[in-house]
């Protein structure tokens, strides 16, 4: 195999294209991951949509998708209602077995010790500006964590909503998208690639 100038240039261009695509995918991973999850879910739900549309003779594609998603939602909700109480009962029984509460009374020795501790507490030191500032500085990371956790929860709910939208819109045009993807494959590789995907 000879390495001519033309072949080296082609190899460098091909390598640059592969690196560019890898960098682009890395940069767009926040958008591509929900899309790929939506595509996978649409792929799994599509047979049910076809069954509802063609076997149950629901003519409208949107209605077939709505019925299929409603059916899946009912099944997931039913499983949740069946499984969650059993899990919570098991957790409560473990909690009761391991952490049984005992009634106890504070003895006179404990009261003496507690009053000694209270006498040694310096109220003025506790209410000094330095102590209050230190308390605020120690609370600040907790407040930051709370805000950050809330923001992450909102972002997670938004991602779930975006995945749901992807699923719906991919299911609406699933056959057209599949045909278009099939026609993008060159004819001499089409049979091999379809066999791999099948």
């Amino acid at each position: 195999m000879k390495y001519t100038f033309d072949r080296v240039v082609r190899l460098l261009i091909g390598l640059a294209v592969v690196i560019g695509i890898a960098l682009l995918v890395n940069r767009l991973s926040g958008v591509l991951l929900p899309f790929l999850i939506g595509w996978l879910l649409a792929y799994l739900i599509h047979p049910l949509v076809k069954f509802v549309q063609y076997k149950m003779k629901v003519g409208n594609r949107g209605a077939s998708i709505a019925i299929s998603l409603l059916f899946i939602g009912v099944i997931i909700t039913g499983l949740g209602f069946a499984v969650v109480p059993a899990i919570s009962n098991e957790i409560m029984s473990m909690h009761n077995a391991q952490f049984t509460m005992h009634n106890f009374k504070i003895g006179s020795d404990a009261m003496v010790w507690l009053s000694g501790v209270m006498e040694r507490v310096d109220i003025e030191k506790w209410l000094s500006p330095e102590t209050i500032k230190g308390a605020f500085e120690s609370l600040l990371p907790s407040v930051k964590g709370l805000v950050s956790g809330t923001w992450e929860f909102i972002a997670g709910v938004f991602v779930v909503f975006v995945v749901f939208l992807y699923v719906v819109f991919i299911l609406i045009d699933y056959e057209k998208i599949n045909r278009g993807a099939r026609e993008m494959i060159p004819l001499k590789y089409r049979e091999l690639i379809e066999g791999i995907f099948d």
Side-chain angles (χ1 to χ4, degrees), residues 25-187:
V25 166
N26 185 36
R27 183 83 171 162
L28 298 175
S29 62
V31 176
L32 290 177
L33 185 61
F35 177 75
L36 291 175
I37 292 171
W39 187 279
L40 177 66
L41 290 174
Y43 173 76
L44 294 173
I45 297 170
H46 183 252
L48 179 61
V49 173
K50 275 177 61 177
F51 177 80
V52 170
Q53 185 174 5
Y54 299 119
K55 299 288 185 189
M56 295 176 63
K57 300 195 184 328
V58 175
N60 189 342
R61 180 75 172 182
S64 302
I65 293 168
I67 290 169
S68 301
L69 292 176
L70 183 68
F71 177 71
I72 291 169
V74 166
I75 287 177
I76 291 172
T77 305
L79 285 173
F81 278 120
V83 171
V84 169
I87 292 172
S88 66
N89 286 341
E90 288 298 320
I91 290 172
M92 288 304 292
S93 66
M94 283 176 25
H95 178 73
N96 290 337
Q98 292 178 356
F99 304 106
T100 54
M101 298 300 287
H102 297 288
N103 293 331
F104 62 92
K105 296 180 180 177
I106 297 176
S108 59
D109 293 338
M111 290 301 284
V112 169
W113 175 82
L114 191 59
S115 63
V117 168
M118 293 304 290
E119 287 174 6
R120 287 191 299 269
V121 171
D122 187 5
I123 301 286
E124 288 180 15
K125 183 181 174 187
W126 279 87
L127 296 177
S128 69
E130 292 83 16
T131 307
I132 294 171
K133 182 182 174 189
F136 274 120
E137 285 175 356
S138 64
L139 281 175
L140 194 60
S142 302
V143 172
K144 275 184 176 176
L146 179 66
V147 171
S148 158
T150 304
W151 175 249
E152 287 175 9
F153 174 75
I154 291 170
V157 169
F158 181 72
V159 167
V160 169
F161 177 70
V162 168
V163 167
F164 178 76
L165 285 180
Y166 277 141
V167 168
V168 170
F169 285 113
I170 290 170
L171 282 173
I172 287 172
D173 289 327
Y174 193 84
E175 279 93 4
K176 289 180 190 172
I177 293 170
N178 271 357
R179 276 197 302 275
R182 184 176 184 274
E183 289 166 7
M184 286 171 53
I185 302 169
L187 274 172

